[in-house]
Amino acid sequence: MEAPPDNDVLWARALHFQHHDGSPALQGVSLGVREGEILAVSGPRGSGKTTLLRCLSGLVKPQDGEVWFNSVPVHTMGPLSRERLRRDRFGWIDPTPVLVPELNAWENAALPLMLRGTGRRRAKTAALEWLDRLDVGDKARRRPHELRQAERQRVCIARALAVAPAVLFADEPTAPLHRADRAQVLRTLTTAARSHGITVLLATHEAQTAALADRAVALLDGRRVRTVHLPPLAETTVATGAAGSAGSAGSAGSAGTEGRAACSLSA
């Protein structure tokens, strides 16, 4: 078993993963992530981005391949060890907000800190700071059902950042937000990561989001690729409409693959 490079906080080699129905999600993906780097994992929906983040974070074990965190083999850990690793060193942001309904906003944001053993007062201070930075500080005492979905997602982002994780896994973190809000939230997230030295893996299907990262890798059908060209949504819609009106089955099939224009497999 070959040890990863010393300057990579996360390192994966030849990851393979299949869904329960037998369909491949990852097919030999390898990558390294440097400490403090913001890495975008880009590609259309269904390309394997979420599965890759889940394997790298220890949420699931790959069926084959290796995952290392700070030279520790995550792929050989048992479920409890991986759970402790996620609790103590990692942060996670889902594409849809998941909060404890019985807790208010600041309690939700502070919960991971308190699970780590941080005192309630200190955890509350950290949670309120991040809620303020994400423009939901005035909603700190409201329960999730009293918040709009976009506000709930900001609470989830505050919760992930409040623990100052070594690695933050962000799976389409601004999906529930209006387009006007996305840039501000992403700037807050990336600025916080750089100022606190947090390594970020950012899964996205949007070129504008990927452009905020230090580096990007692209996935397509569970494999790393060199190029994935995705035209803007408006162009895809027009192309799809034109294909439908023309009645061409071949054109419709081409437009149905998320507007993919070109791709090439990496070496």
Side-chain angles (χ1 to χ4, degrees):
M1 188 162 52
E2 178 187 348
D6 291 337
N7 61 339
D8 283 345
V9 65
L10 271 175
W11 187 73
R13 179 169 60 186
L15 295 183
H16 289 263
F17 190 89
Q18 286 187 341
H19 295 301
H20 293 301
D21 62 1
S23 60
L26 297 176
Q27 303 185 72
V29 175
S30 300
L31 59 79
V33 189
R34 295 182 293 273
E35 186 173 5
E37 180 179 33
I38 299 176
L39 176 69
V41 180
S42 64
R45 291 185 176 90
S47 59
K49 303 185 299 295
T50 296
T51 303
L52 177 60
L53 264 62
R54 287 169 62 85
C55 287
L56 293 174
S57 66
L59 274 169
V60 297
K61 290 185 70 171
Q63 273 107 22
D64 195 15
E66 303 173 17
V67 177
W68 297 73
F69 168 68
N70 280 342
S71 300
V72 175
V74 178
H75 56 284
T76 64
M77 289 180 174
L80 290 178
S81 296
R82 287 186 282 120
E83 183 179 340
R84 283 193 295 269
L85 177 65
R86 293 194 303 272
R87 181 193 66 196
D88 296 339
R89 305 303 304 276
F90 295 161
W92 183 276
I93 304 171
D94 274 309
T96 55
V98 180
L99 298 170
V100 179
E102 295 82 7
L103 302 180
N104 64 30
W106 81 256
E107 289 168 335
N108 268 284
L111 184 59
L113 278 171
M114 291 190 283
L115 291 175
R116 289 184 180 186
T118 304
R120 181 179 175 88
R121 180 176 297 180
R122 183 179 170 190
K124 180 179 181 179
T125 299
L128 290 174
E129 176 187 347
W130 282 108
L131 291 173
D132 281 336
R133 292 179 69 169
L134 288 158
D135 295 331
V136 284
D138 59 333
K139 309 293 193 304
R141 295 190 175 277
R142 294 190 183 181
R143 299 284 179 88
H145 73 274
E146 300 175 295
L147 302 174
R148 299 194 307 271
Q149 186 177 21
E151 293 169 338
R152 292 196 295 270
Q153 185 68 353
R154 288 171 185 258
V155 174
C156 291
I157 295 171
R159 178 179 61 192
L161 289 169
V163 295
V167 182
L168 175 61
F169 297 89
D171 185 11
E172 302 277 5
T174 59
L177 303 180
H178 296 297
R179 186 170 298 274
D181 295 332
R182 291 178 188 175
Q184 185 265 335
V185 170
L186 284 169
R187 279 196 302 270
T188 299
L189 193 156
T190 54
T191 299
R194 291 189 171 101
S195 63
H196 290 73
I198 300 171
T199 303
V200 178
L201 276 87
L202 176 64
T204 181
H205 65 278
E206 294 186 339
Q208 301 95 320
T209 299
L212 296 173
D214 301 318
R215 185 167 60 96
V217 298
L219 294 183
L220 185 65
D221 297 333
R223 291 188 173 96
R224 276 193 65 176
V225 297
R226 287 200 181 95
T227 307
V228 176
H229 295 305
L230 298 174
L233 181 61
E235 293 181 18
T236 305
T237 304
V238 170
T240 305
S245 61
S248 169
S251 298
S254 174
T257 57
E258 296 240 359
R260 186 167 67 238
C263 71
S264 61
L265 290 174
S266 61

